[in-house]
Amino acid sequence: MERQPTKAIVLLSAGVDSCVTLAHAINTGKDCTALTFHYQQRHVLELKAAQAIARHYHVPHIMIHIDPTLFIRATHSSLTNPNTPLESGTYVPGRNLLFLAHAASLLESMAASEIYFGAHAQ
């Protein structure tokens, strides 16, 4: 009897960390679904890049829209505050916890058993 690959959700922001994480999960034989979050971040190109990466790896891609007011107090983050100069590699407090909670909720409904997350050092 042939063993089915493990289903995994991979958080995909389109950054190097998450792209490498997706490639690793695929290379280890996981049946991956990419998960991206749209919270009206200023790096809109990130969303298009995530879609392109998922297409490149031939994996399903889910985009979840999150109410941006959850990050209203992240005034120092250039991703959420238009008055802060836009920089790469910015940090939004609590964002990853929220993303992981969504992924954990989706995990059961998709009959997946693993979440892959390539966290940036910040």
Side-chain angles (χ1 to χ4, degrees):
M1 184 163 112
E2 188 174 318
R3 188 174 174 178
Q4 294 294 321
T6 302
K7 288 187 178 183
I9 296 171
V10 180
L11 299 181
L12 181 63
S13 71
V16 172
D17 301 319
S18 66
C19 187
V20 168
T21 300
L22 176 60
H24 171 73
I26 291 168
N27 285 337
T28 58
K30 307 303 179 192
D31 177 11
C32 297
T33 296
L35 179 60
T36 301
F37 296 91
H38 184 343
Y39 52 95
Q40 294 184 1
Q41 62 268 47
R42 292 174 64 197
H43 280 166
V44 177
L45 290 177
E46 174 182 296
L47 302 173
K48 292 178 182 178
Q51 291 171 330
I53 292 165
R55 274 193 310 272
H56 172 80
Y57 285 106
H58 306 286
V59 298
H61 184 232
I62 297 170
M63 188 171 308
I64 293 179
H65 293 261
I66 294 178
D67 182 351
T69 61
L70 290 170
F71 304 115
I72 198 84
R73 301 217 185 267
T75 57
H76 67 282
S77 174
S78 64
L79 286 178
T80 57
N81 184 348
N83 299 318
T84 302
L86 192 58
E87 303 166 347
S88 63
T90 58
Y91 168 72
V92 179
R95 175 181 66 177
N96 293 338
L97 288 173
L98 186 62
F99 293 172
L100 287 167
H102 274 281
S105 175
L106 193 58
L107 188 84
E108 186 174 333
S109 68
M110 293 180 61
S113 59
E114 297 179 359
I115 297 172
Y116 281 75
F117 173 55
H120 188 275
Q122 266 182 321

